[in-house]
Amino acid sequence: MNAPVLTLAPLIPELILALGAMALLMYGVFTGDRSARTVTWGAVVLLVAAAIAVLALGSAPRTAFNGSFVLDAFARFMKVLAFLGAAVALILSQDFLAREKIEKFEFPILILLSTTGMGVLISAGDLIALYMGLELMSLALYVIASIHRDNARSTEAGLKYFVLGALSSGMLLYGCSLIYGFTGTVSFTGIAAALKGGPIGLGLVFGLVFLIAGMAFKVSAVPFHMWTPDVYEGAPSPVTAFFAAAPKVAAIAIFARALTTGFPGATHQWQQIVVFVSVGSMILGAFAAIGQSNIKRLMAYSSIGHMGFALVGLSAGTAAGVQGVAAYIAIYMIMTLGTFACIIAMRRGDEPVETIEDLAGLSRTNPLMAAALAALLFSLAGIPPLAGFFAKWYVFSAAIEAKLYVLAVIGVLSSVVGCFYYLRIVKIMYFDEPAPAFAPMRVELKAVLVASALFNLLFVFYPAPLVAAAAAAARSLF
């Protein structure tokens, strides 16, 4: 095999997605929207194939384009999560979009292109690859947020996300230009070498602040969370499920990679910023969700809080902290997809319903759905011995090892406050008078909901595979 082909080997998963998306686009153009179901299943197959390709490339670190693209254990872990999360979100979407009469063949293709951007973003080895990946991921997200064109809330969600996303991209680019100006390089390894041993200038700190601001927008962390509740509520439920899963994985991955590999010499500076963002996200996520009546808005504030918890691990600036972040985001993604399978199944006749009160008495009208959702809500609340408890345990223990005691205490107290709104839903499902029953759950929704609930219940008995994979991922960054 000649050298150019070998150089492109790390990009095989992204090439599978990009070329597959182009092929499905041509198929969709010639067959129309009646082929939407076929295109969707084709996209699911491509995403699973890309995840298998990531694993098949072996465990040795690989680079392409002079280090701009990095495939190491951390990238493998996060890519498999993102690709599988996108595949599950697509499976959840099929029946919902058909019932709402918005089943377009372009939808799975946009998800494929967005996921291609996530792959580039997760493997970014310099600031230019970071920006390219971020934009490729985001541009498709802006479109699918407003995919329901005849719905005012959906188009409003897409417009808000686009305008605020453009603002955050500008801030991130400004930060990148300052960092390049003060270090003379865009590669993370080059920036780390430039910072070694020397003083950290004020201009570089400003660049770092803008870079973190751009990345904080993508993980919907405070104070760049403004878009999240409106977009989660306005976008169709399967789109919201996708937003809550795969893009979060990619964004938290580049957050960890950029700061730990690019700025190890400025850990003290970025640690302060990340601690502030983490505390703000945990507190706002805990308190703002209490008054919500729409379950999708509640999940938006829940996601803001959970990103705050994930950033607790990153704040530590250690391998144990990054291991905690990797394990946390994996468990969070599984919990969230299961919860959204339940939200998508909330239908009466042909109409989707979204208020928390619609779940009243669910234990009597649909005991399986109520039990699985209760397990997921307990896990999101961090109640032992469910997987969500261990996710928080990993990040809090990393923060304590790094002597960030106040941050860990604030995290625990926020978690206690957050328990209220999760347990309130459980109380409504089990103790309130039953509301009219939902339409029967589709098989794929039931499968995702039950699998997610079982993972959360059984994780305590066999956590080793996930923890070991997260530890290997973290070690590759240090």
Side-chain angles (χ1 to χ4, degrees), residues 51-405:
I52 293 168
V54 170
L55 298 172
L57 283 166
S59 57
R62 296 164 177 258
T63 60
F65 307 123
N66 295 322
S68 290
F69 190 93
V70 182
L71 186 65
D72 51 15
F74 183 77
R76 284 188 187 89
F77 182 89
M78 292 296 188
K79 281 186 186 184
V80 169
L81 275 184
F83 295 167
L84 294 181
V88 172
L90 267 177
I91 291 168
L92 294 177
S93 72
Q94 291 193 79
D95 184 61
F96 184 96
L97 297 179
R99 283 172 183 262
E100 294 293 301
K101 298 181 175 55
I102 50 172
E103 192 176 31
K104 311 257 180 222
F105 76 86
E106 294 96 333
F107 176 72
I109 292 165
L110 286 166
I111 286 204
L112 279 180
L113 293 173
S114 181
T115 313
T116 308
M118 291 174 212
V120 175
L121 185 62
I122 291 167
S123 283
D126 62 28
L127 296 171
I128 294 172
L130 183 157
Y131 185 72
M132 281 176 56
L134 197 72
E135 287 303 289
L136 180 54
M137 174 181 88
S138 301
L139 288 170
L141 294 180
Y142 302 147
V143 179
I144 61 172
S146 54
I147 195 98
H148 197 174
R149 288 180 301 181
D150 299 327
N151 183 302
R153 286 196 312 170
S154 181
T155 48
E156 179 191 345
L159 186 62
K160 279 182 179 173
Y161 192 28
F162 172 67
V163 171
L164 292 170
L167 174 67
S168 79
S169 292
M171 292 169 74
L172 183 123
L173 264 184
Y174 184 55
C176 291
S177 65
L178 282 173
I179 291 164
Y180 172 66
F182 282 92
T183 60
T185 179
V186 291
S187 83
F188 294 149
T189 50
I191 293 166
L195 297 182
K196 193 172 284 183
I200 309 297
L202 186 62
L204 189 64
V205 173
F206 267 98
L208 198 49
V209 168
F210 280 107
L211 180 71
I212 291 173
M215 294 189 293
F217 177 89
K218 294 302 171 192
V219 296
S220 59
V222 171
F224 307 99
H225 64 284
M226 303 81 68
W227 61 275
T228 316
D230 292 335
V231 172
Y232 270 49
E233 184 183 11
S237 295
V239 174
T240 309
F242 176 65
F243 275 28
K248 289 279 195 292
V249 173
I252 208 82
I254 194 59
F255 220 132
R257 183 186 292 282
L259 295 183
T260 54
T261 61
F263 301 91
T267 301
H268 179 67
Q269 281 78 6
W270 62 254
Q271 191 180 52
Q272 296 175 57
I273 307 166
V274 175
V275 166
F276 166 76
V277 168
S278 173
V279 168
S281 301
M282 290 188 294
I283 292 173
L284 182 112
F287 285 96
I290 290 173
Q292 301 303 321
S293 58
N294 182 294
I295 195 161
K296 284 164 69 179
R297 278 189 87 85
L298 183 141
M299 288 302 293
Y301 286 110
S302 168
S303 83
I304 293 167
H306 280 285
M307 290 304 105
F309 291 123
L311 292 174
V312 168
L314 184 57
S315 301
T318 61
V322 175
Q323 178 187 350
V325 172
Y328 195 101
I329 202 70
I331 293 169
Y332 167 76
M333 188 187 86
I334 294 167
M335 294 188 294
T336 302
L337 285 170
T339 308
F340 271 100
C342 180
I343 293 170
I344 293 166
M346 290 169 61
R347 302 187 74 89
R348 294 212 174 94
D350 281 337
E351 287 299 312
V353 290
E354 294 176 1
T355 69
I356 294 167
E357 297 303 323
D358 288 312
L359 291 164
L362 186 65
S363 61
R364 278 170 274 179
T365 56
N366 192 334
L368 175 68
M369 184 173 167
L373 181 58
L376 290 165
L377 292 170
F378 281 130
S379 190
L380 283 164
I383 292 171
L386 301 173
F389 166 76
F390 291 99
K392 287 178 179 167
W393 172 269
Y394 298 140
V395 292
F396 291 156
S397 59
I400 289 166
E401 281 177 31
K403 296 184 168 53
L404 298 172
Y405 303 119

Side-chain angles (χ1 to χ4, degrees), residues 41 91-92 95 341 345 368 440-451:
W41 280 111
I91 291 168
L92 294 177
D95 184 61
L368 175 68
M441 273 186 100
R442 298 271 304 177
V443 174
E444 64 270 21
L445 296 179
K446 197 177 288 185
V448 172
L449 179 60
V450 171

